[in-house]
Amino acid sequence: MTTAFPEQGPLRVVAQQARTAARTLRSLSTERKIAVLHALARELRARESQILEANAQDVAAAQAAGLGAAMVDRLRLTPAALHGIAADVEAVAGLSDPVGESTPEKLLPSGIRVSTRRVPLGVLGVIYESRPNVTVDVAALALMSGNAVILRGGKETVRSNTALEEAIQAALRAEGLPQEAVQVIRDPARERMLELLKLDDLVDAIIPRGGAALHRFCVENATVPVIVGGIGVVHLYLDGSFTQDPNDVRRAAEVVLNAKVQKPSACNALDTLLVDRAALTVLPQIAQSLAAQGVELRADPEALTCLSGAGLQAHPAQESDYGQEFLALTMSLKVVAGLDEALNFIAAHGNHTDVILTRDAAQAERFVQDVDSAAVMVNASPRFNDGGQLGLGAEVAISTQKLHARGPMGLRELTTTKWVVMGDGHTRA
Amino acid sequence: MTTAFPEQGPLRVVAQQARTAARTLRSLSTERKIAVLHALARELRARESQILEANAQDVAAAQAAGLGAAMVDRLRLTPAALHGIAADVEAVAGLSDPVGESTPEKLLPSGIRVSTRRVPLGVLGVIYESRPNVTVDVAALALMSGNAVILRGGKETVRSNTALEEAIQAALRAEGLPQEAVQVIRDPARERMLELLKLDDLVDAIIPRGGAALHRFCVENATVPVIVGGIGVVHLYLDGSFTQDPNDVRRAAEVVLNAKVQKPSACNALDTLLVDRAALTVLPQIAQSLAAQGVELRADPEALTCLSGAGLQAHPAQESDYGQEFLALTMSLKVVAGLDEALNFIAAHGNHTDVILTRDAAQAERFVQDVDSAAVMVNASPRFNDGGQLGLGAEVAISTQKLHARGPMGLRELTTTKWVVMGDGHTRA
């Protein structure tokens, strides 16, 4: 069951080593964490030829195995990409370190003084698919937040990830730190992933990064707590008040276009446009700009009539086109009778990012209050739901669950707290 | 599989109703939440005879079924206990409401304004054992934090819990709120619990309250995120510096005694005393006060020699006596060579509450920094690791995991946040 991959011990041993390393990491000063990230950036640059050579082998193997061009593209590293990764590591070193922050000490009636102190989570397990830059990004965020991490990338990138692991471990050794702080699972067998998911006595959190099937696999099999995310339906509700002024109409069209086409494969791209009946007159203008970018519209009968009246093409929407994440240049469209119907629709289908375009402050506040999603936006593109865009500096994942972290997860979301109690021989009465 | 208990629909329907109710609850003002808790306290008092009658039937059935006296005691309600429960509900109504708190709005370089707003988790599933007071406590904390809750108590308390649910739902109706905000699973079949654990599209968190087996069952079967807790080993390290002054020695004996005997069945009671070799001379005095209270000591050879030299009884410790939660008047004892050995021992066995008794501030800070447990204490009894004692006012459970909440969970730990983004037609570049 736990037969080792030739170069690595059983996963339980890997995790025990990570746990031991985590004890060193959790007490590191910010300065030492910055130093190790700078050492890592240097190692990445110094090992450029080795890393690119390993990556070229992965690419060749993927092509030989007949992987699609998009998949091969995602795993390919170029010199520029590698230098970009090194620069990202240095950027993480510039983020503020949440570890060690304390709440103000409170003197309680019993006489004890109580505070909480922010500490690393401990050992993270991160499971992802083919992009090798994730290996370095996640290692940098884990180290900067004082965590050890076990990385499980896609089987197509084992050579690249091994070369990147060597760079990361060399940086750790150079700074006098245990190299087991960052370990890559090299055995691509699914059983090893299952093993990782069940090491709840050693691993503090599992963070999957990938498609819905990967998240589901983790949720259904893990005994380690899982932070799911990155998956969800994005709605935009266009309120009648945002169409009274030609400038607003132009802005509405720009926001909808940005929401859908700036990066259609992203989880924060628009899926469903809800149009207030009072805004129906401007729908053709919006639809035209979408059609010009090749977006396929799937519309309800009322929107369909409106669009065909304006000589625009659209497909009739099926029920399954609502509450669906498209991740492509396709979106659904529905006319609603106003804010209440929009809110009911979003309550049934939303959880990720939802937007209202409105000039009415009371409508905006009702929307923000009622919509229960990771991010709620007024007059802005849902594409802003991203760690960089929301000011976190970097993100390890976007959580769409409610426990622990919601929305983009930066350094702080890789930490927890502990209670600190100071007494002078105090006993409980 | 989902055959309904006569009086209740399938669990998925129960959860859907909870979800609908949660949408109303999440926007309730603090004033309305206070009002419903006061209504609940009134209902409990008004229904005293019905509730006690239902409880008497549970007690009689438990006795007829041959349940142990301790178990029967735990499920019994008295008029005084019921009035105490009503007073506790009113106390929860006096706690400060974390829902609606906002972080300061930040203007980001892109021009969007960003904040986070604190919101309820949504729908909680709480699974517990025989004490019916938990039904009301948890309902009050859930309602005050704006959450709907599905309660699954022990099968011995179904009649009591049904009577309490009627009181809670009457209070909800009286305040014009959906009674499905609080629902008790009346079918005691284990399959219903399994169903609840797997409703991850409807339930936001599972909080088990009970023994290790219940927590394990939830962790192994749930696809809903679980907050485990209440289980763990408690260590106290007595440093040589705390034995130089007779007052300190007296205090050390008092803290150890309080840690062990004030409530031996509690999860925050002492399990293992680690004695610095330099403090060995005072061990007999401490052991004597423990023995006087009937505490059984299981000691390593060095401590055993010391105790028998002082004419005191102890048993030789087995390896399994370390890292064990006793929940009884038994504890283990080990002599260590100083702080480093104590820290290594705690790193291997601790996660709940760990205490150092010391006069040396540097040793204290090293202990607080290095020990990675839910609560770390200096010169205080571990029995202070409790929601009431740490100033939370009330607790729904004590978490010993690291995600989301760690240590006692009060109202704030029943909430999450959402991102709020304000723009003026902003798009992502």
Side-chain angles (χ1 to χ4, degrees), chain A residues 19 23 26-27 106 108 110 112 114 117 119-122 200 204-205 216 219-220 222-223 225-227 242 251 254-255 258 262 268 340 343-344 347 359 364-365 367-381 383-386 389-392 401-404 406-408 416-429, chain B residues 19 23 26-27 106 108 110 112 114 117 119-122 200 204-205 216 219-220 222-223 225-227 242 251 254-255 258 262 268 340 343-344 347 359 364-365 367-381 383-386 389-392 401-404 406-408 416-429:
Chain A
R19 191 131 213 102
R23 199 175 152 202
R26 72 174 177 249
S27 294
K106 271 199 230 176
L108 296 182
S110 62
I112 58 173
V114 170
R117 195 180 285 195
V119 297
L121 282 173
D200 55 89
D204 296 293
R216 201 66 216 156
V219 164
E220 288 184 349
T223 57
V226 178
I227 300 179
F242 208 77
R251 280 201 185 95
E254 284 169 4
V255 171
N258 185 264
Q262 201 233 0
N268 55 17
D340 283 313
L343 291 173
N344 290 336
R359 279 286 154 228
E365 177 49 31
F367 188 87
V368 167
Q369 175 59 35
D370 187 74
V371 171
D372 187 29
S373 295
V376 191
M377 305 194 178
V378 177
N379 301 341
S381 168
R383 293 277 298 126
F384 285 113
N385 188 4
D386 166 282
Q389 296 298 321
L390 293 180
L392 298 186
Q401 69 176 35
K402 294 184 186 171
L403 285 194
H404 188 68
R406 201 172 186 206
T416 181
T417 56
K418 64 183 174 191
W419 289 86
V420 177
V421 175
M422 307 296 286
D424 188 24
H426 285 82
T427 54
R428 182 161 164 190
Chain B
R19 191 130 213 103
R23 198 174 153 202
R26 71 174 179 252
S27 293
K106 269 199 231 173
L108 296 182
S110 62
I112 57 174
V114 170
R117 194 181 287 196
V119 297
L121 282 173
D200 55 89
D204 297 293
R216 202 65 216 158
V219 163
E220 289 184 350
T223 57
V226 178
I227 300 178
F242 209 78
R251 280 199 185 98
E254 284 168 4
V255 171
N258 185 264
Q262 201 233 358
N268 56 15
D340 283 314
L343 291 174
N344 290 336
R359 278 287 156 228
E365 176 50 30
F367 188 88
V368 167
Q369 175 59 36
D370 187 73
V371 171
D372 187 29
S373 295
V376 191
M377 306 193 177
V378 177
N379 300 339
S381 169
R383 292 277 298 125
F384 285 112
N385 187 5
D386 167 282
Q389 297 296 320
L390 293 180
L392 298 187
Q401 69 176 35
K402 295 184 185 170
L403 285 194
H404 187 70
R406 203 171 185 205
T416 181
T417 56
K418 64 183 174 191
W419 289 88
V420 177
V421 175
M422 307 296 286
D424 186 24
H426 285 82
T427 55
R428 184 163 164 188

Side-chain angles (χ1 to χ4, degrees), chain A residues 25-26 33 92 97-99 119-122 124 139-147 410-412 414-415:
Chain A
L25 291 180
R26 72 174 177 249
K33 291 188 279 196
V92 170
D97 180 1
V99 172
V119 297
L121 282 173
L124 311 175
L141 287 162
L143 291 173
M144 192 63 193
S145 54
N147 290 288
L411 291 180
R412 176 170 296 269
L414 298 179
T415 64

Side-chain angles (χ1 to χ4, degrees), chain A residues 146-225:
Chain A
N147 290 288
V149 64
I150 300 170
L151 296 158
R152 201 275 190 190
K155 65 175 185 300
E156 308 79 16
T157 47
V158 167
R159 295 175 195 86
S160 310
N161 286 343
T162 303
L164 292 169
E165 180 193 40
E166 282 166 12
I168 297 163
Q169 295 193 338
L172 286 161
R173 288 193 305 270
E175 294 297 317
L177 295 173
Q179 65 175 20
E180 294 81 8
V182 179
Q183 296 173 89
V184 171
I185 301 179
R186 290 193 287 276
D187 180 352
R190 190 155 232 211
E191 291 71 43
R192 305 309 298 279
M193 178 160 54
L194 261 176
E195 258 186 85
L196 176 63
L197 294 177
K198 295 192 185 292
L199 290 173
D200 55 89
D201 56 332
L202 297 170
V203 179
D204 296 293
I206 293 287
I207 305 175
R209 283 182 53 160
L214 173 65
H215 284 262
R216 201 66 216 156
F217 184 81
C218 291
V219 164
E220 288 184 349
N221 290 287
T223 57
V224 180

Side-chain angles (χ1 to χ4, degrees), chain A residues 55-94:
Chain A
N55 183 253
Q57 292 175 19
D58 279 338
V59 168
Q63 286 168 330
L67 255 70
M71 193 79 161
V72 172
D73 255 13
R74 288 178 70 203
L75 73 82
R76 192 192 312 273
L77 285 175
T78 61
L82 188 61
H83 285 265
I85 293 171
D88 286 345
V89 170
E90 287 164 337
V92 170

